Amino acid sequence: MPGVPSGRACENCRRRRQKCDYAKPTCSRCVRLGVECVGSGQRRFLFIDQKCARRQNAASQSTEGSAKSTPSSSSSLLSLSPCPSGEADALVGSFAEMIRPSTDRRFNLAWTYGEFLQSVPQRLGSSNALDVAAQALVASHRDFAVRRPVTLESLAKYSDAIKALTESISNPITSHSLETICAVVLLTMCQNLSGLGLQHLTSHCQGAVQMLRARQSYHITDDFEMGLHSYLHGPVLVQSLFNRAMRLSPAKFEALSEVLAINKKSPGSSTLVLLFRIPALLQRGRAVMQGQVDREAFITDLSMIYNTVQNAASIVYSKYMAGPATESKYTGPYGFCLAFCCFFNCMLRAVDPDNASLREEARTLVQNTFDLLPEAQRNRPLGAAHMMLNFNAAWLCAEDEDVRHRLHALLGEFSWDFRRDAHTMWRLGHLETLLCDFQFKTDPGVVLQHAV
């Protein structure tokens, strides 16, 4: 009706008579103030034309018979009721809000972790472990959305989820079900949102992989299971580089990568296969530095992989980043490729230090990382989660100490999004250790001492 307010501002903006941008699950003003945002983007006043309502009622009664024979659409993400009645419906509604396409990219879990999450709501209610893990994720996401430290309520729900998961794993019937594996995956997301760090993610990711290994007798038939595999590619690969406790021998890592089935229909599958060779390349590089392996052959193989990843980065850039300047960009896929270009450049310069073109490319890669900053700032926190990987990789590429200092400061700034601690500072020692590893200067005995 003309003159009737839409009432889509959140409670805080409405009470203070401030302009609200209606972003979900929390508006920009509430994010900046660090307060809980209630009702952002939700219409409060809805006037219905009574004549129109009577016509709709008559039409629904005339089609009642045919509607009974039509499959229910209640499992569809977009058709979920915005006002659920029971506790189970409330969980489905809360989970769906975190992944709904209309939810702001800054807080949308599906944008960051994968579209397979859209299949989770219809599976809720079939597994206690999955239900309790979903409750823990909803609680963690609620704290994350208002940028406050983890609450006792979230920690309690996370503890309950661990107990429910333990019971499910102890049951031979449910121990290797997709719902149980999904519960493990949701808990890794809880840890990400709670800022618990890579070390705490290790056990959950390893557990999920072992459970998938036990399912190898089952043929992958649906997109949901492939989505679980695809999600684990990132954490397992990144942890194998950043966390020495996850750094398996190349043979064991290859066996593990075979468990994590790569979807060969995916455009980037061939590049992903090359990335899973990094642990073997690190071992081979250490052998080169000790004079045990031919250096030129290693440089040739490493250059081939580097060029392939560079081409992949160019393709992804043209797809996600080359639009009009006024268009919102999704920097995640390109940022991921850019980070691994930095890693391979660092490895190549270690075995070919006099190559001037590699040094020039390194400076370009670092600048490309800085060029991501304006868009990443708009996508923070979840839409810019990949920037932590990018800053680490760019630090390895950079040679100028002022540039490294700036990258280190940015690591501390962006890590606050997940740790939400005023005293957050990325450990410089971690970067120096990583640099030694990628320059093949780490003693092999040290690597084996930390490896599982």
Side-chain angles (χ1 to χ4, degrees):
M1 291 178 61
V4 176
S6 62
R8 292 193 295 129
C10 73
E11 293 291 346
N12 289 324
C13 293
R14 187 173 64 87
R15 188 166 57 249
R16 292 175 173 81
R17 298 184 179 180
Q18 299 290 329
K19 183 175 177 58
C20 182
D21 61 7
Y22 311 145
K24 296 181 180 181
T26 179
C27 72
S28 299
R29 188 171 182 278
C30 288
V31 169
R32 179 169 55 82
L33 297 176
V35 297
E36 185 171 4
C37 188
V38 178
S40 178
Q42 297 178 6
R43 185 184 294 272
R44 285 182 180 77
F45 308 109
L46 182 62
F47 291 80
I48 302 175
D49 188 324
Q50 295 300 319
K51 295 180 180 178
C52 179
R54 282 195 293 269
R55 286 195 297 268
Q56 290 176 348
N57 289 335
S60 63
Q61 290 174 2
S62 65
T63 58
E64 183 177 358
S66 60
K68 291 180 180 179
S69 61
T70 304
S72 173
S73 61
S74 61
S75 62
S76 172
L77 177 61
L78 297 179
S79 63
L80 292 168
S81 170
C83 300
S85 55
E87 184 177 345
D89 290 337
L91 174 60
V92 171
S94 298
F95 194 98
E97 192 60 38
M98 300 188 299
I99 59 176
R100 200 183 298 275
S102 60
T103 297
D104 195 304
R105 183 185 298 167
R106 296 173 300 159
F107 304 100
N108 195 316
L109 294 182
W111 270 97
T112 301
Y113 297 123
E115 294 182 358
F116 76 95
L117 287 172
Q118 295 178 357
S119 299
V120 172
Q122 64 198 51
R123 293 175 179 266
L124 294 175
S126 61
S127 164
N128 183 54
L130 181 58
D131 290 353
V132 182
Q135 291 172 356
L137 183 57
V138 168
S140 296
H141 186 264
R142 188 180 299 118
D143 293 339
F144 182 79
V146 297
R147 317 293 283 277
R148 65 186 173 201
V150 183
T151 61
L152 291 177
E153 177 190 1
S154 296
L155 291 175
K157 289 185 180 296
Y158 178 78
S159 178
D160 292 340
I162 293 292
K163 293 176 183 177
L165 179 61
T166 302
E167 293 177 359
S168 183
I169 293 175
S170 301
N171 187 333
I173 299 176
T174 60
S175 58
H176 303 133
S177 70
L178 287 179
E179 285 71 24
T180 301
I181 297 173
C182 184
V184 179
V185 167
L186 296 190
L187 290 182
T188 67
M189 297 177 189
C190 286
Q191 292 176 321
N192 276 324
L193 299 183
S194 302
L196 297 179
L198 285 172
Q199 290 78 10
H200 298 273
L201 287 171
T202 302
S203 59
H204 280 329
C205 285
Q206 286 180 334
V209 172
Q210 294 302 325
M211 294 161 74
L212 287 171
R213 187 193 301 274
R215 287 181 58 86
Q216 284 304 289
S217 58
Y218 297 88
H219 182 66
I220 300 179
T221 57
D222 61 16
D223 292 337
F224 179 70
E225 185 169 0
M226 183 58 73
L228 293 174
H229 283 259
S230 299
Y231 165 78
L232 287 168
H233 290 152
V236 169
L237 179 59
V238 172
Q239 287 181 46
S240 71
L241 306 180
F242 285 81
N243 189 348
R244 283 181 172 173
M246 275 287 289
R247 198 168 292 169
L248 306 174
S249 67
K252 290 184 178 179
F253 189 82
E254 183 179 355
L256 179 144
S257 64
E258 290 177 357
V259 175
L260 295 175
I262 295 177
N263 186 1
K264 296 182 179 179
K265 297 179 181 179
S266 174
S269 59
S270 58
T271 304
L272 189 60
V273 170
L274 294 177
L275 298 184
F276 271 85
R277 291 176 56 186
I278 291 180
L281 292 170
L282 291 175
Q283 185 185 61
R284 188 178 169 190
R286 288 191 292 270
V288 166
M289 301 299 274
Q290 294 177 352
Q292 300 173 359
V293 175
D294 181 69
R295 181 183 294 263
E296 293 304 319
F298 179 65
I299 291 175
T300 300
D301 292 345
L302 198 57
S303 298
M304 182 274 294
I305 299 175
Y306 177 48
N307 292 333
T308 301
V309 177
Q310 282 182 307
N311 291 334
S314 299
I315 294 172
V316 172
Y317 182 89
S318 63
K319 181 177 180 181
Y320 292 99
M321 304 293 295
T326 56
E327 184 180 280
S328 178
K329 308 293 194 308
Y330 180 42
T331 56
Y334 172 65
F336 187 80
C337 292
L338 178 61
F340 281 93
C341 286
C342 291
F343 288 138
F344 284 113
N345 180 280
C346 182
M347 287 190 281
L348 270 171
R349 283 189 290 127
V351 292
D352 191 9
D354 298 327
N355 191 322
S357 63
L358 285 175
R359 299 171 73 92
E360 182 60 33
E361 287 174 6
R363 287 189 284 269
T364 301
L365 291 171
V366 173
Q367 184 56 52
N368 290 344
T369 302
F370 283 128
D371 290 343
L372 288 177
L373 264 175
E375 195 66 35
Q377 292 284 12
R378 287 189 285 270
N379 290 333
R380 288 175 68 179
L382 268 185
H386 64 89
M387 291 303 295
M388 299 298 296
L389 177 65
N390 284 110
F391 292 142
N392 275 280
W395 193 95
L396 299 183
C397 257
E399 294 181 316
D400 184 270
E401 286 302 319
D402 290 337
V403 173
R404 282 185 170 176
H405 179 75
R406 184 184 174 192
L407 289 166
H408 183 232
L410 286 169
L411 273 167
E413 178 188 340
F414 274 71
S415 65
W416 182 91
D417 288 343
F418 295 88
R419 298 183 182 184
R420 301 188 293 286
D421 185 344
H423 303 289
T424 292
M425 179 56 68
W426 199 257
R427 289 192 303 111
L428 192 59
H430 175 80
L431 291 168
E432 293 170 345
T433 298
L434 197 62
L435 182 61
C436 286
D437 291 346
F438 275 87
Q439 290 183 339
F440 315 120
K441 295 178 180 179
T442 307
D443 185 272
V446 174
V447 178
L448 291 175
Q449 181 181 358
H450 288 85
V452 295

